[in-house]
Amino acid sequence: MSRWEELTGGTSGEDYAARFAALADSGKDMHGEAQFCAALVPAGARVLDAGCGTGRVMIRLAELGYDCVGLDLDASMLAVARRQAPHLPWMQADLAAFDPAELPGGADFDLVVAAGNIFPLLAAGTETEVTKRLAAALRPGGLLVAGFGLDAAHLPVPPSITLPEYDAHCAVSGLTLVDRFATWDAAPYEGGGYAVSVHRAQPGG
């Protein structure tokens, strides 16, 4: 069982969506992750939203002209995503067990985004396997973007992964660190409890 399932019981979709709706109503910008991704790859690029949840990031990317696929294990979250954007492809699968080749359009994504503390909320011991599968979904030279908390102040669960550990999982998966930021607004990372990391897949030969 993933740390997310232990935390929520897989029934938190409506509550999660309501919390972000309230933040949006208060005037907070809800599209930082999508804008960050849009600065990395041009409109029309293929994007896999890994751990898409209720679809907030992917729906915005689709509005901006990206060819998106959403993947999540939590049925309650996907139910919200499908209700909000029934025309988009939402797939239910475990990030540690999905076959990238079976995704709509195949394993040829320009960018994979894992927002929302995906890695700290994985089942313990599956981090390398998840990273390998996300890397396998990328075209040669494609990008993996992951933002997650590193300390108790930025996580709903005890911290479980460090940046050196994450970089090691990526290296084993054939990914090289390109850049690292402190926020989705691309503020420079100078240490701290949250990081957005950009890794690149090996270019084609």
Side-chain angles (χ1 to χ4, degrees), residues 57-124:
V57 176
M58 178 169 140
I59 291 170
R60 179 57 178 164
L61 284 169
E63 291 172 348
L64 294 173
Y66 291 86
D67 180 8
C68 301
V69 175
L71 187 65
D72 205 288
L73 183 60
D74 189 322
S76 74
M77 304 285 269
L78 287 172
V80 176
R82 288 170 175 145
R83 185 176 71 240
Q84 293 180 335
H87 58 291
L88 296 178
W90 307 103
M91 315 298 293
Q92 184 176 8
D94 186 339
L95 293 181
F98 80 101
D99 182 351
E102 294 182 357
L103 295 173
D108 189 33
F109 289 90
D110 299 288
L111 185 145
V112 173
V113 57
N117 287 321
I118 300 305
F119 277 89
L121 291 168
L122 294 173

Side-chain angles (χ1 to χ4, degrees), residues 132 135 169-176 200-203:
K132 286 181 177 179
H169 298 314
C170 287
V172 168
S173 305
L175 301 169
T176 303
R200 186 182 301 278
Q202 296 176 353

Side-chain angles (χ1 to χ4, degrees), residues 8-203:
T8 68
T11 60
S12 65
E14 295 295 339
D15 290 343
Y16 189 88
R19 180 160 59 89
F20 276 94
L23 287 171
D25 289 343
S26 74
K28 184 174 175 60
D29 180 15
M30 292 287 96
H31 300 306
E33 300 99 328
Q35 291 301 133
F36 183 96
C37 294
L40 294 176
V41 291
R46 298 191 68 222
V47 177
L48 174 63
D49 189 349
C52 61
T54 58
R56 176 177 56 86
V57 176
M58 178 169 140
I59 291 170
R60 179 57 178 164
L61 284 169
E63 291 172 348
L64 294 173
Y66 291 86
D67 180 8
C68 301
V69 175
L71 187 65
D72 205 288
L73 183 60
D74 189 322
S76 74
M77 304 285 269
L78 287 172
V80 176
R82 288 170 175 145
R83 185 176 71 240
Q84 293 180 335
H87 58 291
L88 296 178
W90 307 103
M91 315 298 293
Q92 184 176 8
D94 186 339
L95 293 181
F98 80 101
D99 182 351
E102 294 182 357
L103 295 173
D108 189 33
F109 289 90
D110 299 288
L111 185 145
V112 173
V113 57
N117 287 321
I118 300 305
F119 277 89
L121 291 168
L122 294 173
T126 65
E127 295 87 356
T128 294
E129 185 62 31
V130 169
T131 309
K132 286 181 177 179
R133 290 176 186 269
L134 297 183
L138 289 167
R139 64 165 177 78
L143 298 173
L144 170 62
V145 177
F148 53 84
L150 303 163
D151 61 17
H154 294 85
L155 289 168
V157 296
S160 62
I161 185 170
T162 65
L163 290 177
E165 288 169 344
Y166 177 63
D167 288 342
H169 298 314
C170 287
V172 168
S173 305
L175 301 169
T176 303
L177 181 66
V178 175
D179 217 335
R180 178 162 283 142
F181 303 93
T183 67
W184 291 99
D185 295 329
Y189 183 74
E190 299 172 348
Y194 191 89
V196 180
S197 304
V198 183
H199 287 76
R200 186 182 301 278
Q202 296 176 353

